[in-house]
Amino acid sequence: MNFPTERRTIPTEIMTTQMEWQPDEQGLQQVLQLLKDSQSPNTATQRAVQQKLEQLNQFPDFNNYLIFVLTRLKTEDEPTRSLSGLILKNNVKAHYQNFPPAVADFIKQECLNNIGDPSPLIRATIGILITTITSKGELQTWPELLPQLCNLLNSEDYNTCEGSFGALQKICEDSSELLESDALNRPLNIMIPKFLQFFKHCSPKIRSHAIACVNQFIIGRAQALMDNIDTFIESLFALATDEDSEVRKNVCRALVMLLEVRIDRLIPHMHSIIQYMLQRTQDPDENVSLEACEFWLTLAEQPICKEVLSGHLVQLIPILVNGMKYSEIDIILLKGDVEEDEAVPDSEQDIKPRFHKSRTVTLQHEGGEGEEGEDVDEDDDDDDDTLSDWNLRKCSAAALDVLANVFRDELLPHLLPLLKGLLFSPDWVIKESGILVLGAIAEGCMQGMVPYLPELLPHLIACLCDKKALVRSIACWTLSRYAHWVVSQPPDSHLKPLMTELLKRILDGNKRVQEAACSAFATLEEEACTELVPYLSFILDTLVFAFGKYQHKNLLILYDAIGTLADSVGHHLNQPEYIQKLMPPLIAKWNELKDEDKDLFPLLECLSSVATALQSGFLPYCEPVYQRCVTLVQKTLAQAMMYNQHPDQYEAPDKDFMIVALDLLSGLAEGLGASVDQLVARSNIMTLLFQCMQDPMPEVRQSSFALLGDLTKACFPHVKPCIAEFMPILGLNLNPEFISVCNNATWAIGEIAMQMGSDMQPYVGLVLNNLVEIINRPNTPKTLLENTAITIGRLGYVCPQEVSPMLQQFIRPWCTSLRNIRDNEEKDSAFRGICMMIGVNPAGVVQDFIFFCDAVASWVSPKDDLRDMFYKILHGFKDQVGEENWQQFSEQFPPLLKERLSACYGV
């Protein structure tokens, strides 16, 4: 493009003093033509526009033309002018540091001079442009910006005031921390009092901007706001009855945030705030009612919730329940009147990305498996997830759920009278909301609901056959929330009818119902575990039939239901007739999918559970599955290497493929045990594992250490030659900053020690200090503590001479972290190690002997030779200190410990 360039030869200083920049007419026409073309729907035209823009960006004053069109060319239509500003904004984002100072200054000046343009669209565009410039670190180098904008707020001209406020609001959103910093001499000290004055402005738009600006500083507890907090709260109260919905929304938002950070200031007014929020939660404008409804969610997390809200439940509960109905708009968006859609293919954007949860090795506890808090139940993921945006229905349901957890059964007197009318209503929308209410209170009000459940459950199960799909799907979710109770009853009373109906719903003609039923069934499987064994044939027939029926999105949920079934019934699945049903469709899917298809993730996870459950029953299928996993790991590593060497030519790989493949290999090693030997022998998995263990991504390392531990247990001869290379890497990963990586590395070291025996000696020094440091750290998660204690014990078992000198440094936390786990092989080997170390270094345990006694007493039934080891140590200690000292020492024992030691070991 031949841009007129003669003007650019004038030195900049002269140009600015002599005359203000003026566009060349021909250049201006070219820019306008470009803006017109860029509004064309034709993709070829669009591509040409992109190329033209690239070329024009070589000319520094192209940006002058863009700002000129935005601010000066009032003859052009607004969309074209605004577009010019948005292209300029993108240029600022990409190339601002290369703008000549004269160009940057011209743009800034034009912005400030035209912030009051009569057109709201142009004002907003200029506001966005100003914020983009400030986000380039320009707040410091544009010192007149904030004072000028604040000054323009005083303008008599509405447009100027509104435009300046719009720009300030965007700056407050983007740079709230900087505005409070010394770098700018804390402009907030002036801005906050200024904003507060505008809460009384006659224009609702200005009032709304003013509150929105101040609201940006609540969560960060900006000092300037805290200094004016009482004025702020009074000003908010004054706006409580504002007729403008945007103002009311911002007032509600402010109060919700203040509840979180300055509840002390709200407590004196709490009664009237609650009254206000009760009204606003019923506001005709859903944006307002949604903001107000957040108040109950936030209040439920405050310690004073019960005290301040008890008297208001009688008003609040009906409001929340009413908010849980689908709105007319929801029903249209959810196609609530479409009953059969199972043949309609899914659109790709409906399918949420799935995240694979990498394998973490945990121990069996008293209360079942896993770490507490791991199983975070996303409440109310029951409904409308295609509208996954937050709405009043979801917020009301979430609020009722958290309040049920605060008030427990005290909520029921307010709810039960309402529920009857809802659940038996002839209007399906009301009936549906009643079923949602029942589900929302399941966790908090379980105790109080028990007397009603024998009657309610059959009614809910009947709702699974309702003619409305949205009623059937919510019934699935609500029933899953009561699965724990169902399983605690005799199977014929509720479990069998529930399972029968849920399985029918898995084959429903409506996709939403299929999805809800599949998820609910997975929850039921987790609760029922082996209770499902008698029905396995029936369950598998249904799940396998669904394979041929489901569209893309629900297939992914089906894999999850099958994997959960395998986890829940374990080896009971290993029957020829079950394998015949289940494996052919799974393997058919496995062969259909390409190596780069993300649907492999859920399928690999599912197969991993199935392989672990089937054990030897998986042997006929293991070879192709094993080979493919190795290929996936190899491909991903190769792609990562090419990307690292030539990032400009290659794309970064999606390492989830490798992580999921490593986890399935772990499942195979765990399920097949020694039978995996042949597969490992014929592959290069150990070389690949060496690379994976050094991957920069923690999740890759986490899964590779889990696999290393599983291969160590299954086929150690293949692992042994690599130990000298592997141990230093394991030692480096004993870093609790990455909990799961550290946990799996620790576990693998313990498994290797058990296989190596005394040959472990050269490697103890690489890992012992880190392990001792981890076991003594405050706030280390329980799983990591237990695994660390077991590995230290195992190292001491195979190399007592090397480990026992440090005994005194770890014996106390060692004992306290292992007293709570069940008797098992890992605990057995660790305690043998501790006994052997005490044999080598008895002085190391003397100061903490009471902890050792307590740990010994935690065994229910140790093996005879281990019991003898305990007996010798206890009696040795007693003989050493003498009868009288032992009496004094054992007086400190809690009564239960004293009894157990006396009964089991005669001390």
Side-chain angles (χ1 to χ4, degrees):
M1 143 143 202
N2 39 0
F3 226 76
T5 51
E6 60 277 15
R7 196 169 281 106
R8 281 177 44 229
T9 53
I10 303 174
T12 328
E13 315 82 313
I14 304 170
M15 181 176 100
T16 42
T17 47
Q18 287 181 347
M19 54 183 193
E20 199 181 27
W21 182 89
Q22 286 297 325
D24 172 275
E25 195 46 47
Q26 185 194 349
L28 189 58
Q29 287 315 313
Q30 283 181 305
V31 172
L32 286 171
Q33 188 54 50
L34 185 73
L35 292 169
K36 293 274 187 291
D37 290 347
S38 69
Q39 294 171 60
S40 150
N42 180 332
T43 39
T45 315
Q46 284 289 342
R47 231 179 312 193
V49 167
Q50 279 310 320
Q51 283 176 331
K52 199 67 163 273
L53 281 172
E54 301 281 304
Q55 292 167 5
L56 288 175
N57 272 321
Q58 309 304 313
F59 296 93
D61 58 359
F62 171 48
N63 294 302
N64 284 0
Y65 282 85
L66 291 173
I67 189 80
F68 189 87
V69 174
L70 172 67
T71 56
R72 305 272 188 102
L73 272 197
K74 314 270 190 202
T75 48
E76 282 300 321
D77 60 286
E78 288 178 16
T80 303
R81 289 172 60 199
S82 172
L83 184 65
S84 185
L86 295 175
I87 291 173
L88 176 55
K89 177 205 79 165
N90 292 337
N91 286 351
V92 167
K93 242 187 171 142
H95 314 292
Y96 189 74
Q97 63 287 359
N98 305 329
F99 284 17
V103 172
D105 289 344
F106 183 59
I107 293 171
K108 289 176 179 175
Q109 206 42 58
E110 284 298 297
C111 283
L112 280 174
N113 291 347
N114 293 278
I115 192 82
D117 192 280
S119 151
L121 177 63
I122 302 300
R123 292 201 297 273
T125 309
I126 293 175
I128 291 169
L129 186 52
I130 289 177
T131 324
T132 311
I133 295 173
T134 57
S135 70
K136 288 282 161 196
E138 282 288 297
L139 262 179
Q140 288 95 318
T141 52
W142 192 357
E144 69 275 19
L145 172 67
L146 291 172
Q148 265 194 277
L149 285 176
C150 286
N151 213 4
L152 291 169
L153 294 180
N154 301 330
S155 166
E156 293 295 304
D157 174 46
Y158 167 79
N159 293 336
T160 305
C161 178
E162 197 278 324
S164 309
F165 244 135
L168 281 166
Q169 187 180 330
K170 293 185 180 80
I171 294 171
C172 291
E173 282 166 21
D174 289 356
S175 314
S176 58
E177 281 164 28
L178 191 55
L179 293 173
E180 225 204 322
S181 69
D182 288 329
L184 299 175
N185 293 331
R186 304 188 173 269
L188 266 201
N189 293 340
I190 297 163
M191 290 161 73
I192 294 274
K194 180 99 184 164
F195 295 154
L196 289 172
Q197 293 169 6
F198 283 87
F199 278 37
K200 300 188 177 70
H201 196 277
C202 59
S203 151
K205 188 97 189 331
I206 305 279
R207 295 197 295 275
S208 182
H209 276 312
I211 312 169
C213 283
V214 181
N215 282 358
Q216 297 303 324
F217 303 99
I218 300 176
I219 294 294
R221 299 169 189 261
Q223 194 51 52
L225 177 56
M226 294 305 133
D227 294 343
N228 290 280
I229 193 81
D230 292 328
T231 319
F232 176 42
I233 291 173
E234 279 163 36
S235 311
L236 284 174
F237 289 165
L239 292 173
T241 52
D242 204 283
E243 73 289 350
D244 183 77
S245 60
E246 196 61 25
V247 172
R248 294 199 302 272
K249 183 184 92 177
N250 282 329
V251 170
C252 290
R253 183 173 291 173
L255 289 169
V256 172
M257 291 190 287
L258 285 167
L259 189 58
E260 224 170 291
V261 300
R262 285 310 301 263
I263 191 164
D264 56 313
R265 283 294 194 257
L266 297 187
I267 286 175
H269 316 283
M270 204 44 112
H271 178 77
S272 42
I273 294 176
I274 288 173
Q275 286 302 326
Y276 175 65
M277 286 299 187
L278 287 167
Q279 284 178 318
R280 290 287 74 84
T281 309
Q282 306 171 77
D283 199 282
D285 184 312
E286 188 177 325
N287 293 320
V288 180
S289 55
L290 179 56
E291 282 296 339
C293 194
E294 295 278 353
F295 181 82
W296 314 113
L297 265 178
T298 307
L299 184 58
E301 289 164 5
Q302 305 298 327
I304 61 151
C305 175
K306 211 165 176 173
E307 185 190 324
V308 298
L309 206 51
S310 288
H312 301 280
L313 287 179
V314 63
Q315 293 165 281
L316 174 60
I317 299 303
I319 293 172
L320 290 178
V321 167
N322 194 40
M324 287 163 77
K325 293 201 299 267
Y326 276 125
S327 67
E328 286 170 22
I329 225 88
D330 290 337
I331 295 169
I332 294 165
L333 289 171
L334 289 169
K335 308 190 174 65
D337 47 355
V338 178
E339 292 304 319
E340 293 243 344
D341 62 355
E342 63 174 355
V344 182
D346 294 336
S347 74
E348 284 310 302
Q349 63 266 36
D350 283 350
I351 298 166
K352 288 196 206 144
R354 285 183 81 270
F355 297 101
H356 170 69
K357 220 168 108 202
S358 303
R359 196 176 177 99
T360 307
V361 186
T362 54
L363 297 171
Q364 302 277 329
H365 290 291
E366 301 302 342
E369 275 188 66
E371 181 80 315
E372 59 281 36
E374 214 166 42
D375 171 41
V376 181
D377 193 19
E378 277 304 316
D379 280 333
D380 207 28
D381 50 6
D382 55 299
D383 59 323
D384 26 293
D385 57 354
T386 41
L387 291 188
S388 55
D389 47 351
W390 193 231
N391 56 20
L392 184 62
R393 166 187 166 90
K394 288 187 169 186
C395 190
S396 304
L400 187 61
D401 185 341
V402 289
L403 289 170
N405 277 299
V406 172
F407 286 95
R408 302 281 165 189
D409 298 345
E410 291 170 41
L411 217 57
L412 291 176
H414 303 289
L415 261 174
L416 293 172
L418 295 172
L419 261 173
K420 205 162 186 153
L422 299 172
L423 290 171
F424 297 97
S425 167
D427 178 348
W428 75 265
V429 176
I430 293 177
K431 178 174 169 180
E432 193 277 347
S433 72
I435 301 171
L436 173 58
V437 168
L438 264 185
I441 60 169
E443 196 188 344
C445 304
M446 194 60 178
Q447 284 321 105
M449 287 305 292
V450 166
Y452 306 99
L453 291 178
E455 211 180 314
L456 266 176
L457 258 123
H459 177 65
L460 283 173
I461 292 172
C463 292
L464 289 173
C465 309
D466 195 276
K467 61 181 197 301
K468 293 303 286 186
L470 289 172
V471 174
R472 299 198 297 279
S473 71
I474 199 67
C476 291
W477 177 74
T478 291
L479 281 159
S480 75
R481 302 268 290 177
Y482 290 96
H484 185 74
W485 181 82
V486 167
V487 171
S488 72
Q489 304 301 300
D492 284 355
S493 56
H494 302 290
L495 177 61
K496 208 170 164 183
L498 172 58
M499 194 176 57
T500 313
E501 287 308 315
L502 266 184
L503 288 170
K504 287 185 198 161
R505 289 294 69 81
I506 285 178
L507 303 179
D508 199 276
N510 180 279
K511 291 194 288 191
R512 171 178 300 278
V513 179
Q514 294 170 357
E515 177 187 357
C518 241
S519 301
F521 196 71
T523 306
L524 186 64
E525 290 169 338
E526 285 173 344
E527 291 290 349
C529 294
T530 49
E531 297 274 334
L532 296 178
V533 172
Y535 316 109
L536 266 175
S537 181
F538 179 38
I539 293 171
L540 287 169
D541 284 340
T542 306
L543 296 178
V544 168
F545 191 78
F547 258 113
K549 195 175 165 71
Y550 276 16
Q551 297 292 339
H552 185 181
K553 180 181 173 189
N554 287 349
L555 260 183
L556 308 184
I557 297 162
L558 181 62
Y559 295 143
D560 183 53
I562 292 171
T564 308
L565 180 68
D567 294 338
S568 302
V569 300
H571 64 89
H572 296 285
L573 202 54
N574 189 5
Q575 298 290 336
E577 60 152 330
Y578 301 154
I579 296 173
Q580 261 343 100
K581 286 177 198 249
L582 181 59
M583 288 311 296
L586 279 177
I587 293 296
K589 285 287 172 205
W590 171 257
N591 292 331
E592 253 172 58
L593 292 175
K594 304 225 181 335
D595 276 353
E596 39 288 331
D597 192 328
K598 291 210 168 135
D599 285 7
L600 273 176
F601 300 164
L603 181 52
L604 282 155
E605 284 174 43
C606 168
L607 280 170
S608 180
S609 295
V610 170
T612 309
L614 290 183
Q615 299 172 335
S616 59
F618 198 79
L619 274 172
Y621 307 96
C622 64
E623 181 132 15
V625 173
Y626 179 90
Q627 291 305 347
R628 183 165 196 179
C629 287
V630 173
T631 308
L632 283 169
V633 174
Q634 197 158 0
K635 273 189 176 175
T636 312
L637 286 170
Q639 213 181 327
M641 202 162 107
M642 307 216 296
Y643 172 73
N644 289 336
Q645 290 166 354
H646 306 287
D648 43 340
Q649 293 169 33
Y650 295 98
E651 275 190 27
D654 181 342
K655 289 191 179 171
D656 275 356
F657 285 104
M658 174 156 77
I659 295 166
V660 184
L662 290 166
D663 286 348
L664 176 45
L665 288 169
S666 276
L668 290 175
E670 193 183 333
L672 300 172
S675 314
V676 84
D677 188 286
Q678 289 302 303
L679 297 168
V680 174
R682 295 200 296 270
S683 71
N684 60 340
I685 188 65
M686 298 315 296
T687 317
L688 298 173
L689 200 50
F690 181 62
Q691 289 175 264
C692 293
M693 286 165 57
Q694 299 174 77
D695 197 274
M697 188 173 174
E699 290 79 3
V700 176
R701 301 201 302 277
Q702 174 183 338
S703 292
S704 49
F705 296 140
L707 177 55
L708 175 61
D710 283 318
L711 291 174
T712 299
K713 287 170 83 167
C715 54
F716 189 63
H718 296 296
V719 179
K720 194 170 183 182
C722 314
I723 292 300
E725 289 183 298
F726 284 6
M727 283 309 295
I729 301 175
L730 285 163
L732 283 175
N733 280 279
L734 296 177
N735 167 10
E737 188 189 338
F738 301 107
I739 296 289
S740 301
V741 179
C742 182
N743 182 64
N744 289 4
T746 303
W747 173 74
I749 292 166
E751 291 297 339
I752 290 168
M754 293 307 287
Q755 300 283 353
M756 292 284 282
S758 56
D759 293 348
M760 191 70 182
Q761 191 199 332
Y763 307 112
V764 173
L766 286 174
V767 297
L768 186 60
N769 284 336
N770 286 357
L771 292 169
V772 172
E773 196 178 314
I774 290 167
I775 204 169
N776 280 296
R777 273 170 59 113
N779 304 328
T780 303
K782 196 160 126 207
T783 306
L784 179 55
L785 275 181
E786 289 162 358
N787 273 323
T788 306
I790 282 176
T791 295
I792 291 174
R794 289 176 152 191
L795 287 169
Y797 178 59
V798 296
C799 301
Q801 297 294 342
E802 283 68 27
V803 184
S804 59
M806 295 189 76
L807 189 56
Q808 196 176 345
Q809 293 177 43
F810 62 74
I811 184 72
R812 181 185 287 199
W814 191 94
C815 291
T816 50
S817 51
L818 289 189
R819 67 186 299 277
N820 294 325
I821 64 168
R822 287 194 205 130
D823 298 4
N824 63 20
E825 283 305 312
E826 295 179 310
K827 184 171 175 176
D828 179 274
S829 56
F831 271 83
R832 287 170 192 275
I834 256 323
C835 293
M836 292 176 72
M837 289 188 274
I838 291 173
V840 177
N841 176 17
V845 75
V846 172
Q847 284 183 326
D848 296 303
F849 198 70
I850 186 167
F851 290 93
F852 176 73
C853 296
D854 178 53
V856 165
S858 76
W859 277 87
V860 180
S861 48
K863 292 181 183 159
D864 290 345
D865 58 336
L866 181 60
R867 184 189 293 272
D868 289 344
M869 292 166 99
F870 293 159
Y871 184 90
K872 285 192 180 113
I873 292 174
L874 293 169
H875 279 271
F877 187 83
K878 183 178 172 180
D879 298 345
Q880 188 89 37
V881 298
E883 186 65 44
E884 195 179 326
N885 285 335
W886 176 262
Q887 282 307 326
Q888 280 184 336
F889 175 64
S890 61
E891 281 309 309
Q892 308 166 33
F893 291 1
L896 202 66
L897 174 59
K898 211 168 173 173
E899 272 167 48
R900 288 204 66 146
L901 290 178
S902 158
C904 302
Y905 302 98
V907 289

